[in-house]
Amino acid sequence: MTVTTSQDEQLGAAIGAIPSGLFIVTSQQNGKTATMLASWIQQSGFAPPSVTIIVAKGRPIESFLTVGSPVVINIAEKGQGKIIGHFAKGFAPDIDPFDGIETATAPSGQPYLTDAIAYLDATVVGSLDAGDHTVILANIIAGERLREGESAIHTRKNGFKY
């Protein structure tokens, strides 16, 4: 079946209507930190508790998310445009993305954002090729709801673009 431009636009709009949260994903290893503003994260299991993190191929954080690697998922709160904007610009792994940002230490030793509504401390246990993205599976080893409030929710006008 051939999809026309009109069908592409309709399909993109339909896919873009899928709601997701906004998350700041971080991993520190060997004196370097990788971060990513993410919207494609989903709980994927109860026992053990786990999440999937979807990463575009070629992003700097991708090389940090190998089996056995630590990862922290910071769940953004509705109205946190400043911190979301800070992490949306991206950082090279040799630049400190936490400069001027208050953090605390998760049980794994990884930093988490104290302004997040909650954080999940996890370990990568697997991955799956998904075309232009990689699906990362991580088991949650700890986490905490830091405050009451609503998680930030995101939808896109076009499901084929961020």
Side-chain angles (χ1 to χ4, degrees), residues 4-47:
T4 66
T5 301
S6 176
Q7 288 173 319
D8 281 346
E9 290 173 5
Q10 291 175 4
L11 180 58
I15 294 170
I18 298 170
S20 61
L22 287 172
F23 312 89
I24 294 95
V25 178
T26 65
S27 183
Q28 273 189 343
Q29 298 173 43
N30 303 316
K32 295 189 179 201
T33 303
T35 65
M36 171 180 85
L37 177 64
S39 59
W40 295 350
I41 294 181
Q42 188 65 46
Q43 181 177 353
S44 55
F46 293 128

Side-chain angles (χ1 to χ4, degrees), residues 69-81:
S69 297
V71 61
V72 170
I73 298 107
N74 297 277
I75 303 168
E77 186 174 7
K78 182 178 180 179
Q80 284 187 316

Side-chain angles (χ1 to χ4, degrees), residues 12-126:
I15 294 170
I18 298 170
S20 61
L22 287 172
F23 312 89
I24 294 95
V25 178
T26 65
S27 183
Q28 273 189 343
Q29 298 173 43
N30 303 316
K32 295 189 179 201
T33 303
T35 65
M36 171 180 85
L37 177 64
S39 59
W40 295 350
I41 294 181
Q42 188 65 46
Q43 181 177 353
S44 55
F46 293 128
S50 58
V51 293
T52 54
I53 306 163
I54 314 304
V55 181
K57 290 184 178 171
R59 291 193 77 162
I61 198 168
E62 183 184 21
S63 66
F64 282 67
L65 300 179
T66 58
V67 172
S69 297
V71 61
V72 170
I73 298 107
N74 297 277
I75 303 168
E77 186 174 7
K78 182 178 180 179
Q80 284 187 316
K82 185 176 178 181
I83 198 159
I84 291 167
H86 175 81
F87 286 97
K89 64 184 177 183
F91 296 90
D94 58 340
I95 302 295
D96 181 7
F98 301 123
D99 186 32
I101 304 291
E102 191 173 331
T103 64
T105 304
S108 66
Q110 296 285 302
Y112 68 87
L113 306 177
T114 58
D115 282 340
I117 196 169
Y119 79 90
L120 303 172
D121 192 7
T123 302
V124 175
V125 295

